[in-house]
Amino acid sequence: MIIGQGMIAKAFSGYAEDPKHIIFASGVSNSQEKNRTLFGRESQLLEQTILHHPDQKLVYFSTCSLYDPSLQNSPYVQHKQNMEQQVQRLAQQYLIVRLPQVVGNATSPTIVNFLYQAIIHQQSFTLWQESYRNLIDIDDVVTILNEILANPLFTNQIINVATDKMINVQHIVMILENITKNTALYQSIPKGSYYSIDIAPIRPILTKLSLNFAQDYVQKTIEKYYAQK
């Protein structure tokens, strides 16, 4: 069963008729969101989903933004912490997956989408010089979770499904400038932070799947989805 209609939900379409798992991909995805009504809707839907399907393993997508010092007190991160606690409290079987910035055919305001749209439309934006992000291809998220759920692994645990590459946001801008052949218009300010994401628990899976996140991984991932737009 799949709950949701966005990029992640579509990527996991193979689980639509799966009687063992619920892919809960219907939640607030914008890290800048402050609307508590939207937060409340996700909480209510999550609770109803768990209560109506107690025998299925719930896969809930949380966020690696919990590790970002600049976002830890944000309404979005606090909401995701509350949702994780709700899953742990209500679900008999669950897997909480903390994701970084996922790159794919998204229409939601992901950081890459935001920057791409700003660059192609020559819109000015503010760039935090010290801001770093972790980007992962949605196809790799699916591949990793297929392996985890098939075995199964990490039942009733929280795991990070991310890469070992933290990239400065200015580098993402440079990649998009090369793709679009446009010059980004931005004001650079000395703000932001670097943080790390522990992916040690999934490294055996990455090795088995031959996912090594090479040095050019981020550039190739962005090109994969944006070079042909």
Side-chain angles (χ1 to χ4, degrees):
M1 177 184 295
I2 300 173
I3 307 295
Q5 299 179 334
M7 174 183 67
I8 292 178
K10 291 175 182 176
F12 283 89
S13 60
Y15 289 84
E17 304 300 326
D18 189 326
K20 296 181 180 179
H21 302 99
I22 299 174
I23 306 296
F24 191 92
S26 177
V28 178
S29 59
N30 183 358
S31 63
Q32 303 303 311
E33 186 61 67
K34 298 178 181 179
N35 190 329
R36 297 195 178 278
T37 299
L38 295 180
F39 295 155
R41 288 176 185 169
E42 179 182 349
S43 176
Q44 184 177 26
L45 178 60
L46 178 61
E47 180 175 356
Q48 292 175 346
T49 300
I50 294 173
L51 294 180
H52 290 166
H53 305 279
D55 297 328
Q56 292 177 271
K57 185 174 184 176
L58 181 87
V59 180
Y60 179 79
F61 294 102
S62 186
T63 177
C64 289
S65 293
L66 275 77
Y67 308 118
D68 187 341
S70 66
L71 293 175
Q72 285 182 349
N73 294 322
S74 70
Y76 171 75
V77 165
Q78 292 177 351
H79 164 68
K80 284 300 186 181
Q81 289 176 322
N82 290 337
M83 292 303 93
E84 289 187 1
Q85 293 169 6
Q86 186 170 325
V87 170
Q88 292 172 313
R89 185 174 68 253
L90 297 177
Q92 295 180 24
Q93 289 191 77
Y94 64 83
L95 173 64
I96 296 174
V97 181
R98 290 179 178 169
L99 294 176
Q101 284 68 38
V102 180
V103 183
N105 292 315
T107 57
S108 58
T110 65
I111 187 170
V112 180
N113 257 359
F114 168 79
L115 294 172
Y116 175 79
Q117 293 297 326
I119 292 171
I120 65 171
H121 291 113
Q122 292 292 274
Q123 297 169 341
S124 180
F125 59 92
T126 299
L127 178 70
W128 290 17
Q129 294 174 349
E130 307 302 324
S131 183
Y132 286 78
R133 293 293 182 265
N134 186 295
L135 272 58
I136 189 169
D137 188 335
I138 181 61
D139 289 344
D140 291 335
V141 173
V142 174
T143 299
I144 293 167
L145 283 178
N146 281 345
E147 180 70 19
I148 289 172
L149 296 177
N151 282 284
L153 302 169
F154 305 115
T155 298
N156 295 351
Q157 295 184 43
I158 299 175
I159 61 165
N160 300 320
V161 174
T163 75
D164 54 6
K165 299 286 187 295
M166 297 299 295
I167 181 172
N168 188 280
V169 173
Q170 190 162 7
H171 191 184
I172 300 175
V173 171
M174 292 171 58
I175 294 172
L176 290 170
E177 285 180 319
N178 290 333
I179 289 174
T180 62
K181 309 304 180 186
N182 285 351
T183 299
L185 305 176
Y186 59 85
Q187 297 82 43
S188 184
I189 60 175
K191 292 184 67 176
S193 59
Y194 179 93
Y195 60 98
S196 60
I197 300 173
D198 181 14
I199 63 169
I202 68 167
R203 281 205 178 276
I205 296 170
L206 300 179
T207 300
K208 180 179 180 179
L209 298 173
S210 299
L211 287 175
N212 57 12
F213 304 126
Q215 196 63 39
D216 60 352
Y217 175 83
V218 171
Q219 179 169 332
K220 286 187 174 180
T221 298
I222 294 175
E223 289 176 347
K224 175 180 175 179
Y225 295 102
Y226 290 87
Q228 303 302 321
K229 285 196 174 187

